[in-house]
Amino acid sequence: MSECGGRGGSGGNNSEDAEDEGGGPKGSGSLSPAGAAASLEGRIRRGLRGASLMARQRPELLCGAVALGCALLFALKFTCSRAKDVIIPAKPPVSFFSSRSPVLDLFQGQLDYADHVRQDSEVVVLFFYAPWCGQSIAARAEIEQAASRLSDQVLFVAINCWWNQGKCRKQKHFFYFPVIHLYHRSFGPIEYKGPMSAVYIEKFVRRVMKPLLYIPSQSELLDFLSNYEPGVLGYFEFSGSPQPPGYLTFFTSALHSLKKDYLGTVRFGVITNKHLAKLVSLVHSGSVYLHRHFNTSLVFPREVMNFTAENIYKWASENQETLFRWLQPHGGKSLLLNNELKKGPALFLFIPFDPLAERHPLLDEITEVALEYNNCHGDQVVERLLQHLRRVEAPVFQSLAPELPAPLPDTQLMAASPCCNTVVLPQGPALSRTHNVCELCVNQTVGGTRPSSVSVPQCSFFEMAAALDSFYLKEQTFYHVVSGSIECSNFLTSYSPFSYYTACCRTISRGMASLTGSEQNVLTAPAIEFSSLEKSCEATAPSSIPHIEENRYRFPQVGLTSTAFTGLSCRTNKTLNIYLLDSNLFWLYAERLGAPSSAPVKEFATIVDVKEESHYILDPKQALMKFTLESFIQNFSVLYSPLKRHLTGSDSAQFPTQHLITEVTTDTFWEVTLRKQDVLLLYYTQWCGFCPSLNHIFIQLARLLPEDTFTVARIDVSQNDLPWEFMVDRLPTVLFFPCNRKDLSVKYPGDLPITLPNLLRFILHHSDAASAPQDLGISPPTQECVQSKAVLQREHISHVENAMQKLRSEMSSLRRTQEQVEGRLFSARRDGHRLLRRQRTLEQQHRLLRRHSQKLQALYLKKARELQELARASGTPLPEHTWLKILVATMEKELEGQGGAKEPAPLGKARPNHSKSMGTTQLPGDTPPPSTTSSTLASERKHENRTD
């Protein structure tokens, strides 16, 4: 019964099921949304009916299905919940700074609270960091140190800008961390990009706190103007109002300068005393003055530019003049040094620098050197600033402005003073124990002046060089016997017939005295008294050649002003750009340029000339001071510089000495190659892929050759510099240095494979012929072998002579051929010129014909238009023309009729007809008779072609 009921129930709903499944009439290809919903509803209804039927028939199956469904839902929920927990939520941020730190740490990125507290402070430092950033962690201690010193004046706020739920992460989009922003009241942000060092950060914060330097006295004005940085001065009178017009704009321009240039290259100062303002040509309150050392100083042009903070900074930055520049590489990949080296030869000075120190004596000396080096015209303002730097009592300070020049010093007295240098001549061939010591004076009168113990200024370096050239050309005239008297002689310069030099010489014995610490042959120390030469000079070797080189640092007791160095940058083609680096931060660069790693004082000077590919360093044993720096620059500036190119190499101590293959470095190159042995040297680098494949060949070669006569060596040219004559252009490269002929070094052929047999043949072919057979244990050749070898050599010589004769004949024939070719070339050139002239004539005629053709074409077009107009006119005849044609045709017909008649008509009959015809002749406006008209038309058709 149940099965039936089930069937009946099932069969009774067939139509409904069909309608539910189809969702519409049968035959429809797809279900509409309404049909799909109806189909789903039908399935659910059938499922419920089936479930109710199953519950009535088998209740245990219903319970199992319910339990299975609950288990499935629980498993699905558990799986989905596990999938969501794969991403672990970020841990809440913690404080980056300690609770006792003077830095306010907003570790949840509360940027709005930072803006709130910023309104209550005059100067605020915002330190944006990321907790995972290594640079941020390293800068944390530096920020705390700077904050501990400035906490009573500046508010330091640290903000975590990495927390994803903080406002800083949502509003700020930094590309790097840490980032430091400074705010001065409402002005900002001023981003600091300098070194993350506490002293540099504190210095920059203090510059933001006090962007203007108050100058109350003349000495402080000189300090401001003699500084190496460009200076901008503003004059404002505060007597009338607490804030004079333009002062706030000038104050903002100083902050704007720090915002644009974090190094603070341009310094801003303010003057309130009108007497001090007059010294720099500032008369009106609100005037701004830009000081320049060598070019004319400027006053801000209010009539040309608007007096705004941006315009003041732009005007100062475009017209500034810098003596030297500080470099601060950030430590990553940068083109900073490359861009500066492209400008020309560069002098890099590494000095320990403390930004917070009030005085920098070494920096003052470098400033003095830079001022003298660039003072090409002997500017009086620069001279006074130099006197101030030297702390010398200067005359009354009158004016630094170009409009109010100061009185010039007594230059005539300076010019009249003698300029002398002491030179030591090599000893003569017959005077083995004597030496001539002379004092050479420039710009002397013909009468000469005997040297005395009076201190005299030193002459120009180049003038003394010219004097020494002329002096050594005539040095044979100064050899004389031992005498206690001083003899003076005058001679002309080799460069100018209008200049005279005076040389006062005295011959002394070699054993009289010694010069302490002197290793030079030419002593160019200024103001050395000639009367003391007998106690302080020692003769040098007779074969020595004098060098023109400054050695003033050997005489520290000399402190006179040098005129040779002043304006040197304008007298040479190798003008130096001076750069300074803090050795406390960038000593690694100095070590790479040749500075010792274990220097007691981190001071170093080097000159790099990229164009000439030269690199010179100041001797690290010499102290970096004014005298040594001037000598270093002078020796570089001369035409034939006595400086030696610095070669950077590896440490030879790291390579073992007992080895089959000797490792050569820059320091051991000459020692190895100049041995009394045959030396085979391999050039290689670590990045060369072919070089390691040759190691086993050279090891076998070193084992075959005796160690006492042959040396196999190699050098890594990527780590060791060599003189230019020993550099190679490809790797690997093999050079062979014969034992007794080191100057005849040979390069292994590049097209020959580097194998052990080829290397042995190469060595035996180029080694010393006298020592190679004995070294290899070969017996000397016999007499017959020598004779046969001589015969072969003679035959070879005759063959070479014949070949030379053939070459001479070929050269003569080539000369004759060359003359013939030159003659043909001359005629060809002449024909070419003629053809060129003919071509120009034809081109001119062609242009005339073209113009004529154009005229004819225009005329042709005109006539064609006229013909077209006539054709149109003839194609549309007028009524008058039609009647005229009819009349002409009628007359012709009558005439033909009269001429063709056999019997002429009687005159009486003819006359009436004629009169009748004449009387019936119609005018053009009248309508002709029908008969006449038809006959006329027939005649016209008959004679149409002829009429046309």
Side-chain angles (χ1 to χ4, degrees), residues 72-108:
L72 181 62
L73 291 175
F74 179 76
L76 182 62
K77 182 179 180 181
F78 180 75
T79 304
C80 295
S81 63
R82 293 289 296 175
K84 292 181 180 179
D85 295 337
V86 170
I87 301 175
I88 301 176
K91 296 181 180 180
V94 296
S95 179
F96 191 67
F97 290 84
S98 63
S99 58
R100 295 174 296 177
S101 175
V103 181
L104 175 62
D105 189 6
L106 303 178
F107 55 88
Q108 292 182 347

Side-chain angles (χ1 to χ4, degrees), residues 31-52:
L31 293 177
S32 63
S39 176
L40 180 61
E41 184 180 357
R43 290 193 184 97
I44 294 173
R45 191 180 300 114
R46 288 196 305 274
L48 291 175
R49 284 197 297 267
S52 62

Side-chain angles (χ1 to χ4, degrees), residues 341-342 344-345 573 608-614:
L341 289 174
K342 286 182 179 178
N573 291 330
V608 179
D609 190 352
V610 176
K611 183 179 180 181
E612 299 294 334
E613 296 185 5
S614 57

Side-chain angles (χ1 to χ4, degrees), residues 322-636:
T322 56
L323 289 176
F324 46 79
R325 180 183 173 188
W326 280 94
L327 297 181
Q328 294 181 356
H330 56 73
K333 290 184 178 180
S334 173
L335 296 177
L336 176 63
L337 295 179
N338 180 66
N339 295 334
E340 299 301 331
L341 289 174
K342 286 182 179 178
K343 298 178 182 179
L347 172 62
F348 292 99
L349 300 175
F350 294 84
I351 61 174
F353 182 71
D354 183 8
L356 300 177
E358 296 182 359
R359 289 287 181 182
H360 302 88
L362 181 57
L363 192 59
D364 291 341
E365 290 190 7
I366 296 174
T367 304
E368 184 179 351
V369 170
L371 285 173
E372 291 184 0
Y373 182 67
N374 294 283
N375 189 17
C376 302
H377 305 289
D379 189 81
Q380 299 304 310
V381 176
V382 178
E383 294 295 335
R384 289 175 183 173
L385 295 179
L386 286 172
Q387 291 178 359
H388 179 74
L389 287 174
R390 301 185 191 115
R391 300 298 186 268
V392 179
E393 293 295 333
V396 178
F397 185 80
Q398 294 183 2
S399 175
L400 291 175
E403 295 82 0
L404 302 174
L408 298 175
D410 192 0
T411 56
Q412 297 180 355
L413 179 61
M414 296 291 295
S417 301
C419 173
C420 303
N421 270 347
T422 304
V423 295
V424 182
L425 291 178
Q427 64 184 26
L431 304 174
S432 59
R433 295 188 59 80
T434 60
H435 204 85
N436 289 331
V437 178
C438 302
E439 186 171 5
L440 181 63
C441 298
V442 185
N443 296 331
Q444 293 295 308
T445 59
V446 181
T449 303
R450 291 181 177 273
S452 62
S453 60
V454 179
S455 297
V456 294
Q458 188 181 7
C459 63
S460 169
F461 182 76
F462 295 97
E463 292 179 357
M464 183 51 61
L468 287 174
D469 290 342
S470 302
F471 178 67
Y472 282 110
L473 290 176
K474 303 175 179 64
E475 62 178 285
Q476 67 275 6
T477 61
F478 295 96
Y479 289 115
H480 53 277
V481 297
V482 179
S483 173
S485 61
I486 300 176
E487 298 182 4
C488 296
S489 302
N490 299 299
F491 57 94
L492 287 171
T493 173
S494 301
Y495 300 96
S496 173
F498 305 104
S499 301
Y500 288 90
Y501 300 139
T502 300
C504 300
C505 301
R506 180 173 183 175
T507 304
I508 61 175
S509 175
R510 292 184 59 186
M512 292 178 61
S514 63
L515 182 61
T516 304
S518 177
E519 298 177 359
Q520 302 291 331
N521 300 321
V522 178
L523 305 179
T524 59
I528 300 298
E529 294 81 356
F530 185 73
S531 59
S532 63
L533 285 177
E534 298 181 2
K535 300 180 181 179
S536 61
C537 293
E538 179 181 2
T540 56
S543 61
S544 60
I545 301 175
H547 288 279
I548 305 171
E549 192 170 356
E550 296 277 351
N551 289 319
R552 290 175 295 170
Y553 55 85
R554 299 181 181 274
F555 304 94
Q557 70 276 12
V558 180
L560 298 176
T561 304
S562 172
T563 59
F565 187 75
T566 304
L568 183 59
S569 63
C570 301
R571 303 196 305 266
T572 179
N573 291 330
K574 298 189 292 184
T575 304
L576 287 169
N577 299 316
I578 305 177
Y579 302 97
L580 270 67
L581 293 93
D582 189 357
S583 58
N584 296 325
L585 301 176
F586 309 108
W587 187 247
L588 183 62
Y589 292 86
E591 292 180 357
R592 189 66 184 91
L593 290 172
S597 56
S598 61
V601 180
K602 291 185 177 181
E603 296 177 357
F604 179 68
T606 179
I607 295 176
V608 179
D609 190 352
V610 176
K611 183 179 180 181
E612 299 294 334
E613 296 185 5
S614 57
H615 174 207
Y616 310 102
I617 66 172
L618 183 65
D619 189 359
K621 298 179 181 178
Q622 300 178 10
L624 184 61
M625 54 190 302
K626 180 178 181 295
F627 293 149
T628 57
L629 198 56
E630 288 182 356
S631 302
F632 187 47
I633 297 175
Q634 283 184 349
N635 289 332
F636 170 78

